[in-house]
Amino acid sequence: MVERCCTDILCCLIFIFVIFSYAALGIVAWLHGDPRKVLYPTDSSGQFCGQKETSNAKKPILFYFNILKCANPSILINLQCPTTQMCVSQCPDRFATYTEMQLQHQLGKSYWEYYRQFCKPGFNNPDKPVSQVLRDEDCPSMIVPSRPFLQRCLPDFITQNGTVTVANRTSFKDALEMARSITELQHAAKGITGLVDTKELSMKVMEDYAKSWPWILLGLLLSLAVSLVFILLLRFTASLLLWTTITSVILLLAYGVWLCSAELSRLRHRPGSNVAIVEVGLQTDLQVYLQLTQTWIILLVSLGVAEASILLMLIFLRRRVRVAIAMLREASKAIGHITSTLFFPVITFLLLTVCFFYWAVTAVYLASSGEAVYKVMSPEVSCLHANSTCHPETFNRSNISKSALCLGSQCLFAFYGGETAYHRYLFLLQLSNLLVFLWLVNFNLALEQCTLAGTFASYYWARRKPQDIPPCPLLLSFSRAIRYHTGSLAFGALILSVAQLVRILLEYLEQKLRGADNSLSRFILRCLQCCFWCLEKVIRYMNHNAYIMVAIYGKNFCTSAREAFFLLMRNVVRVAVLDRVTDFLLFMGKVLIAGGVGAIAYLFLTRKIPVIQEEAPNLNYYWVPLLTVVIGSYLIAHGFFSVYAMCVDTLFLCFCDDLERHDGSSEKPFLMSPELHRILGKSSQLH
């Protein structure tokens, strides 16, 4: 038994201090933030649309007086469009100008009653000259048929025969009798049509989820049962099961290659099948892609490469595959003696869920913690005070409103912000929120790895198995990790988190520069992203092995990382092959489980199982529950198999260390099991 003491105490103290500071940040954000600023749109007076117990309670939608002043959808969504904005109960459903309304008002009051709901509250003078109305922005110069999107009235674009129209029109006139085209509206709300289509798609997807959720749950439970059965069989028939899995994957890939070849032959002479996927664009109906030869060529090449790779690996690395299977069999024995390890990932999942929700809530409260900022909005380009900060209460008495260069200017709500130190550092607080979130996530993953490694190490170093395995080894390993090695785990997690944060910031900058014509900057950013992606992978791998050494010997992080690195370098051939082969075998097990459950779900959803054909729900897109079941099944299988992977890595490091510390003599006997000893005899011949 290793005599342990606390490791990396300084980092442990810093980590505890950061956790308390993170809690304080959440409290401060909660005190200053107001999620209503995110949930509800805000009018020009800074009032929330749709907020209960206010004058806007029955007006949940934001209406823009002059949508043409909004250059792009980002201005709309960020509430910084330089035009009057007010809350309404419904969007306009017809074309009309203020001038037309005045003419029709002479025939009946109904025209004004409809138009005035889009004017400022309290305004009731339809005979006011149009020039004065537009100057004072009492009413919009025109209204166009719109539909609510993100609780904002946006033009209702409809494509007819390839032409974009609004209410079957391609042009219209504004209040000043100037001709306008639908293209101008489309430019003002660029990209909104695609967003509306996305909204309609999301509504159909949610409808499919509402109809199929019991069957999705049943499919996930089936994958859970299959994963448990697979692990149980792996305990007793590891070789047979793994070779069966390999054979099944090879046969499935071969069948896929044959099916792709048959479909290619069938489509080769069909008109229109040679259209490129890029020309088709994004389609929600997957059958469209299945009618293209390019789709089947891509599938054929992908399946062929995968088939050839597996066959070549089996031919040239068959002995290593046997060693990996034997290592998995040994891992099955360890997990069989300590079954509780299979359910430890559930605890990690719950901890990660808590971290995610705390980060998300804190981010929302920080984003909504600014005060209402009002800016001078002027129709005159020569106004020197345009976009300057103002106060609505005193604006009408100020010199700005009386200035000749700023005629018609208004003090309108612009955004949420502030001038205090707290508001100036909101961006840094958001970065801190993200960094601590990444740190906590990586710490939880490190805690899981260290706990499982300590548990499986206690199995390996037990002279008599299972008699010498300590009682409750998982609980003991968890308590050791928390009591002695919190600092080491936090140290490794911090290094990884910093690398991840830098990569996220580089991706953010790359997104910002995407529209800019600066190829050199984008190239440099891409190179930096690639470098930090590789760095993150290296750090993650080194941390993984360092946590195992921390769990085994109780040394600090740097010492453990160094010893793990040199131990792996001294056994680089075993590591390079055995580690990859083991991961590949486990990956094929996950693919087989996800693919098998997915195949059953596909047959059920497409009504190809006669016994339960009538039970299948009527869906808009059958791929919605199908993808959910396949991805969920893979993640469930991954949760169980990650324990296996951790067990194999721990046993392998213990195995390599055992070879260096002992020689098999009576004075220094190997502590490995007899089967691993036989593996040693076989594998040593390969060096």
Side-chain angles (χ1 to χ4, degrees):
M1 183 66 184
V2 178
E3 191 68 29
R4 295 180 184 265
C5 61
C6 294
T7 56
D8 296 302
I9 298 175
L10 178 60
C11 193
C12 178
L13 295 175
I14 294 174
F15 183 61
I16 294 173
F17 173 76
V18 168
I19 290 178
F20 280 106
S21 301
Y22 195 36
L25 175 63
I27 294 172
V28 172
W30 180 75
L31 291 175
H32 288 82
D34 188 353
R36 293 177 302 176
K37 299 171 185 176
V38 179
L39 299 175
Y40 301 103
T42 310
D43 65 11
S44 296
S45 301
Q47 302 296 318
F48 300 118
C49 296
Q51 184 183 359
K52 295 180 180 180
E53 300 179 358
T54 65
S55 59
N56 292 330
K58 296 182 179 180
K59 300 178 179 180
I61 308 170
L62 192 68
F63 173 74
Y64 297 88
F65 268 33
N66 190 351
I67 192 74
L68 295 175
K69 290 185 178 180
C70 306
N72 56 59
S74 65
I75 287 179
L76 298 179
I77 296 172
N78 291 327
L79 302 175
Q80 297 182 37
C81 186
T83 185
T84 300
Q85 306 154 30
M86 59 174 288
C87 302
V88 295
S89 57
Q90 62 179 357
C91 294
D93 59 5
R94 67 194 71 170
F95 271 109
T97 65
Y98 190 81
T99 304
E100 292 173 349
M101 182 279 303
Q102 285 185 318
L103 295 174
Q104 293 170 343
H105 174 62
Q106 300 174 3
L107 304 176
K109 294 184 178 181
S110 60
Y111 297 103
W112 168 242
E113 292 300 324
Y114 179 80
Y115 202 93
R116 68 176 294 189
Q117 64 181 319
F118 305 108
C119 298
K120 286 183 177 180
F123 180 76
N124 191 18
N125 185 9
D127 298 321
K128 186 175 181 178
V130 62
S131 58
Q132 296 180 19
V133 170
L134 298 183
R135 182 197 63 192
D136 300 335
E137 292 206 17
D138 294 319
C139 289
S141 63
M142 62 181 177
I143 57 175
V144 298
S146 305
R147 62 194 300 181
F149 179 76
L150 297 176
Q151 292 183 269
R152 292 159 177 83
C153 290
L154 300 176
D156 188 9
F157 296 112
I158 300 175
T159 303
Q160 294 182 343
N161 299 324
T163 303
V164 178
T165 65
V166 176
N168 296 324
R169 292 194 189 184
T170 58
S171 62
F172 59 96
K173 291 184 178 180
D174 62 15
L176 300 178
E177 296 299 318
M178 293 180 60
R180 300 282 191 173
S181 68
I182 297 301
T183 306
E184 293 182 72
L185 279 179
Q186 193 177 19
H187 177 69
K190 185 181 179 182
I192 296 299
T193 51
L195 294 174
V196 170
D197 291 338
T198 303
K199 183 186 178 185
E200 292 178 353
L201 173 63
S202 64
M203 291 176 64
K204 291 182 179 180
V205 168
M206 295 307 297
E207 182 182 350
D208 288 342
Y209 275 125
K211 290 180 179 178
S212 60
W213 72 265
W215 301 106
I216 293 175
L217 183 61
L218 184 62
L220 296 179
L221 290 175
L222 178 61
S223 65
L224 177 65
V226 172
S227 299
L228 289 173
V229 171
F230 192 93
I231 288 173
L232 183 64
L233 293 175
L234 202 61
R235 169 73 175 83
F236 300 102
T237 59
S239 296
L240 177 62
L241 185 62
L242 289 171
W243 282 113
T244 303
T245 300
I246 295 172
T247 306
S248 301
V249 171
I250 291 174
L251 292 177
L252 284 174
L253 290 174
Y255 174 75
V257 170
W258 174 83
L259 182 64
C260 292
S261 302
E263 287 294 328
L264 271 176
S265 301
R266 185 177 65 85
L267 294 173
R268 194 172 297 277
H269 303 291
R270 176 177 293 184
S273 61
N274 58 347
V275 177
I277 295 177
V278 178
E279 297 177 11
V280 174
L282 181 62
Q283 301 290 331
T284 56
D285 186 5
L286 298 183
Q287 292 296 328
V288 174
Y289 299 107
L290 297 181
Q291 304 303 318
L292 305 177
T293 55
Q294 192 178 84
T295 303
W296 294 102
I297 291 174
I298 293 173
L299 291 174
L300 177 63
V301 172
S302 302
L303 294 175
V305 170
E307 180 88 350
S309 301
I310 294 174
L311 291 175
L312 288 175
M313 190 198 71
L314 292 176
I315 292 172
F316 294 102
L317 300 175
R318 58 188 182 277
R319 292 186 179 180
R320 290 294 180 185
V321 171
R322 293 196 192 103
V323 173
I325 289 175
M327 187 66 78
L328 283 172
R329 188 161 52 241
E330 188 67 21
S332 298
K333 292 180 181 179
I335 293 175
H337 291 304
I338 316 173
T339 313
S340 57
T341 53
L342 288 173
F343 303 98
F344 191 79
V346 176
I347 299 175
T348 303
F349 173 77
L350 294 176
L351 292 174
L352 292 178
T353 302
V354 172
C355 293
F356 174 79
F357 277 107
Y358 187 87
W359 165 77
V361 171
T362 303
V364 168
Y365 272 89
L366 283 174
S368 61
S369 59
E371 301 296 332
V373 175
Y374 296 85
K375 296 286 186 179
V376 175
M377 300 293 178
S378 175
E380 302 294 336
V381 180
S382 58
C383 180
L384 300 177
H385 301 283
N387 206 37
S388 61
T389 306
C390 59
H391 300 282
E393 298 82 4
T394 60
F395 181 75
N396 292 330
R397 301 190 300 269
S398 66
N399 295 328
I400 299 177
S401 61
K402 301 174 183 178
S403 172
L405 297 176
C406 299
L407 289 176
S409 61
Q410 298 182 77
C411 184
L412 302 179
F413 169 80
F415 54 88
Y416 289 103
E419 301 298 329
T420 66
Y422 172 76
H423 295 108
R424 284 198 300 269
Y425 292 107
L426 271 178
F427 180 72
L428 292 178
L429 292 177
Q430 285 284 23
L431 280 183
S432 302
N433 182 32
L434 178 60
L435 176 60
V436 179
F437 166 70
L438 294 173
W439 196 359
L440 290 174
V441 167
N442 290 316
F443 176 80
N444 284 319
L445 295 175
L447 180 61
E448 178 189 6
Q449 295 175 39
C450 188
T451 300
L452 292 175
T455 304
F456 296 127
S458 65
Y459 165 84
Y460 184 93
W461 298 114
R463 291 184 178 274
R464 296 176 302 161
K465 303 175 178 60
Q467 293 86 349
D468 290 344
I469 299 176
C472 302
L474 183 65
L475 182 60
L476 287 175
S477 180
F478 179 78
S479 61
R480 283 199 304 268
I482 291 293
R483 180 180 177 183
Y484 296 110
H485 308 306
T486 296
S488 298
L489 301 181
F491 188 20
L494 177 61
I495 297 173
L496 180 59
S497 301
V498 171
Q500 290 174 332
L501 180 64
V502 173
R503 190 168 62 85
I504 291 173
L505 291 177
L506 289 173
E507 291 179 358
Y508 174 78
L509 290 175
E510 196 268 336
Q511 290 289 333
K512 287 292 185 181
L513 292 175
R514 179 162 293 180
D517 188 16
N518 195 331
S519 302
L520 180 61
S521 298
R522 292 201 303 272
F523 174 75
I524 294 174
L525 282 175
R526 290 287 177 86
C527 292
L528 289 174
Q529 283 179 265
C530 180
C531 292
F532 275 92
W533 181 84
C534 295
L535 178 63
E536 180 185 341
K537 295 297 180 183
V538 172
I539 293 174
R540 192 183 297 276
Y541 182 75
M542 292 304 301
N543 283 3
H544 177 76
N545 292 291
Y547 298 145
I548 296 176
M549 298 300 284
V550 167
I552 296 173
Y553 298 110
K555 298 180 181 179
N556 62 50
F557 177 81
C558 293
T559 302
S560 299
R562 184 178 65 252
E563 291 183 354
F565 175 78
F566 287 114
L567 180 62
L568 293 174
M569 288 299 99
R570 290 193 294 271
N571 296 272
V572 65
V573 178
R574 289 193 181 101
V575 172
V577 180
L578 184 62
D579 192 38
R580 294 301 96 196
V581 171
T582 304
D583 289 344
F584 176 73
L585 292 176
L586 293 176
F587 172 74
M588 285 204 295
K590 289 182 279 189
V591 168
L592 185 64
I593 292 173
V597 175
I600 296 174
Y602 171 78
L603 295 175
F604 170 73
L605 294 170
T606 54
R607 303 175 185 272
K608 294 182 179 180
I609 303 179
V611 180
I612 52 176
Q613 189 173 10
E614 300 299 326
E615 299 294 331
N618 294 318
L619 303 172
N620 296 301
Y621 312 112
Y622 72 85
W623 52 264
V624 171
L626 178 61
L627 284 179
T628 304
V629 169
V630 171
I631 295 174
S633 300
Y634 183 86
L635 292 177
I636 289 173
H638 176 74
F640 286 107
F641 281 49
S642 64
V643 178
Y644 257 90
M646 194 67 206
C647 183
V648 169
D649 292 341
T650 303
L651 294 181
F652 180 71
L653 275 181
C654 293
F655 173 79
C656 294
D657 198 38
D658 194 10
L659 292 179
E660 294 188 355
R661 291 176 180 270
H662 307 103
D663 55 10
S665 63
S666 56
E667 293 81 12
K668 294 183 178 180
F670 290 127
L671 295 179
M672 66 188 73
S673 66
E675 185 168 6
L676 279 179
H677 195 275
R678 289 195 298 272
I679 296 173
L680 170 63
K682 294 179 182 178
S683 62
S684 62
Q685 298 173 5
L686 302 177
H687 291 341

